[in-house]
Amino acid sequence: MQPKEKNKIKIKLCGLTRPSDIEVANLLHPDYVGFVFAKKSGRYVSPERVKTLKELLHPDILAVGVFVDEEPESVAVWLSSGMIDMAQVHGAEDEGYIEKLRELTDKPIIKAFSVRSEGDIERACESSADFVLLDAGDGGTGTAFDRELLAGMNRPYFLAGGLDASNVGEVVRRWQPYAVDVSSGIETDGLKDAEKMQEFVRNVRKDNEIK
């Protein structure tokens, strides 16, 4: 399931909602794109829309479904449908939830953590999820947490929160995350902006490799 270029910082473009977003993603070829299933989000996409978007997506790009406190049975149905390749759980899901989801699917699980303190970093390090994602607040807000806390991470992680084309190059050079995750940082007026998407991806890939 992992992208071929294992030494490269990986990229996830999240919150895609339109066929035009997929067209740009196919040209840029990030490792992951994210579809938001949380109905309270302004980036929510309906099951019908996800089906359309996934059919347009290049088969080498992994589709991540983003869920917030969704029943594990529902998440497992989506994973088995083939419409998404991985699940990102972005709410209050605990270890029991991850264990239950693993009983229902063998697809990879990303657990998102809202980082406010060293304790949140410790919980992320101890998570049984396949991947962890570190964000600020509820995600998708464009705000950053205190990245000095990243010094406590002892496992690969997706880094989100306040990233955009102007800062992502320096952030990845300093912190060397497994992957970067962006949503609001590639938007204009709440919609994905092709130029911002291109610039973000270009700045991640410019001289940035996992050491």
Side-chain angles (χ1 to χ4, degrees):
M1 294 291 289
Q2 297 303 318
K4 294 178 182 178
E5 295 186 19
K6 294 183 179 181
N7 64 318
K8 298 288 186 180
I9 301 289
K10 294 165 180 57
I11 300 170
K12 176 167 170 273
L13 304 179
C14 199
L16 277 58
T17 61
R18 303 172 297 171
S20 59
D21 300 339
I22 300 298
E23 290 176 9
V24 178
N26 286 341
L27 290 173
L28 299 175
H29 215 92
D31 303 278
Y32 313 89
V33 300
F35 299 132
V36 178
F37 288 79
K39 292 184 177 180
K40 293 182 179 180
S41 171
R43 303 179 184 93
Y44 167 75
V45 283
S46 67
E48 296 76 19
R49 177 57 65 87
V50 170
K51 184 176 186 297
T52 298
L53 297 177
K54 183 61 161 63
E55 288 172 350
L56 295 172
L57 185 67
H58 191 287
D60 289 343
I61 302 173
L62 298 180
V64 180
V66 181
F67 301 89
V68 178
D69 299 326
E70 185 68 55
E71 291 296 327
E73 292 81 3
S74 297
V75 177
V77 167
W78 272 105
L79 289 166
S80 64
S81 73
M83 290 300 98
I84 57 173
D85 304 298
M86 305 171 66
Q88 176 180 321
V89 291
H90 216 295
E93 302 88 358
D94 58 12
E95 284 296 301
Y97 180 100
I98 294 173
E99 182 179 350
K100 178 64 179 296
L101 187 53
R102 285 200 188 285
E103 294 174 357
L104 301 170
T105 180
D106 61 357
K107 297 293 181 65
I109 301 167
I110 304 170
K111 170 57 185 164
F113 291 85
S114 178
V115 178
R116 299 180 178 85
S117 68
E118 291 181 0
D120 298 317
I121 294 293
E122 291 172 2
R123 289 192 302 112
C125 290
E126 295 169 357
S127 174
S128 65
D130 298 281
F131 301 96
V132 295
L133 182 147
L134 307 179
D135 205 343
D138 296 325
T141 61
T143 58
F145 60 88
D146 179 5
R147 295 195 184 105
E148 294 300 324
L149 293 169
L150 293 172
M153 284 300 293
N154 60 14
R155 64 182 289 181
Y157 58 91
F158 283 69
L159 178 60
L163 297 176
D164 58 31
S166 71
N167 63 24
V168 70
E170 178 59 31
V171 168
V172 295
R173 278 191 291 275
R174 180 173 182 187
W175 296 109
Q176 295 285 297
Y178 171 81
V180 288
D181 185 318
V182 65
S183 188
S184 62
I186 50 172
E187 292 178 346
T188 298
D189 297 328
L191 295 173
K192 291 298 181 282
D193 182 312
E195 291 186 4
K196 290 182 178 180
M197 293 168 74
Q198 293 167 12
E199 188 179 4
F200 183 89
V201 170
R202 181 170 60 248
N203 289 350
V204 174
R205 289 177 173 158
K206 185 167 54 181
D207 302 323
N208 282 305
E209 296 185 356
I210 298 174
K211 305 301 181 184

